[in-house]
Amino acid sequence: MRSRKLGIISESKIKLHPPQQNLWKDSVIFAQKGKNMENHTFGPNYGFATRAVHTGNDIDKDSGAIKRPITMANSYALPYDPTDMNWSSAGGNLYTRNGGTNQKYLQERVASLEGGEDCVVLASGVAALSGLFFALLNQGDHVIFSSVTYIAVYRLLNELLNNKFGVETTLVDTTDPANVEAAIRPNTKLIHIETPGNPTLMISDIAAISDIAHRHGALLSVDNTFASPYNQRPIELGADFAVESLTKYINGHGDSMGGAIIGKREYLDQIRATSQVNLGGAISPFNAWLIMRGSVTLPLRMRQHNENAMAVAAWLERQPCVSFVAYPGLKSHKGYEVAKKQMSPGFGGVLSFGLKADHDTHNQFVSYLKVITSAVSLGHDESLIVFLGENDERQYLYPEEFHHGFFRFSVGIEDVKDIIADLSQAMNRAGLNTVE
């Protein structure tokens, strides 16, 4: 009964217009002819670190190089008679918006690391999110999404798709699965959660919400950016889709942008055709190559991020000048037990905290930091901090302790003693007391 409700996307269920229907079919044929993932994919019988190094990589047949080259071409040679080709097909080497070699190699690696059947990589994390939503949702569909999510999700679902395209949306505190079930409607097509949530680090139970979604014939997507596939793999917990901002931990070097959607191939073929070809969210070959290079060290970096963030969170929790610390690895965190169940071996490198200080003192503290950089984004090698003030438009959705201004802190891979010393000296210079 459950498998019938989950189902497989059929052409009638998707209700694509005829031209897009043909485009989708052609992309499947292209994928079968032009992409053999078995040649370069190391399966789940290999360890995570081995797959991070080897999946998608191979010896270059032209040069003998043992690393994939960057293919900086926006067009590929056509066959002898190209007149019967569908120029909007996705996945083959036709035009880089249709698909490219560096993109394919990266897709193989990310799919393997996430434990998914297939992957589409796009130009940014927001391109991946919008690509998923635009490909799956139609006018009159209903979406439930976490009340605490990345701001672009809030804009896409609560404003753009709702106001312009007639998609019904409901904001829900997904930390309690009962809230999700209570929000289900007959036309609910998708539940989208983010765990840990940005910026409050709220935790949602992926397995429990997956069961609710599937019992009601809906799909579940999980933004996994804060965790990375090293710490959490939503598809293994029952989600239909995992979404990653490749810009963050998977690249890890702060020098490129990309996004990924991971899931079953029949869904991904539709998303690839719609969002990559028709919406134009294609990733550049150079960015795909950079992310491929960065992903090799993902397991090494994540071990350090996990370790450093745990130590920093514990230190912050002891400080008399700190009003609160939100980190799912702390036993004081409301979502600790769920996080411990679904996140392993660690809890990621992002935390939030507040100071017992006025607005200007928060800014003074940041100005005194030397090792830690005041900048947006997260998952870089370097530590990044951003002060989010009292006037955030979504403040009403956050727990009370966040209402007086707070920091989102992406803990880097520097020596942890230097990170803590930097926090301490900046607090002291701003007139705040610290202890060892």
Side-chain angles (χ1 to χ4, degrees), residues 315 319-321 423-425 427-428 432-436:
W315 182 84
Q319 303 313 306
C321 63
L423 291 167
S424 182
Q425 65 82 23
M427 288 174 177
N428 294 157
L432 302 169
N433 294 324
T434 59
V435 296
E436 290 297 324

Side-chain angles (χ1 to χ4, degrees), residues 376-389:
V376 297
S377 200
L378 58 103
H380 292 204
D381 44 3
E382 62 188 315
S383 293
L384 303 175
I385 197 166
V386 59
F387 175 44
L388 298 166

Side-chain angles (χ1 to χ4, degrees), residues 329-350:
L330 293 174
K331 291 183 179 179
S332 58
H333 192 281
K334 292 179 181 177
Y336 172 73
E337 291 299 331
V338 175
K340 187 172 66 171
K341 178 180 69 173
Q342 67 190 23
M343 299 181 76
S344 178
F347 302 94
V350 182

Side-chain angles (χ1 to χ4, degrees), residues 127-144:
L129 289 163
S130 59
L132 175 71
F133 300 150
F134 273 90
L136 290 183
L137 298 172
N138 298 310
Q139 185 177 14
D141 287 337
H142 176 236
V143 183
I144 298 167

Side-chain angles (χ1 to χ4, degrees), residues 107-123:
Q107 286 172 167
E108 292 173 16
R109 178 165 296 173
V110 174
S112 177
L113 296 179
E114 294 278 357
E117 188 176 292
D118 199 2
C119 171
V120 176
V121 298
L122 297 169

Side-chain angles (χ1 to χ4, degrees), residues 233-247:
R233 289 172 292 282
I235 290 172
E236 294 179 3
L237 295 166
D240 298 286
F241 306 101
V243 181
E244 296 278 0
S245 174
L246 301 174
T247 309

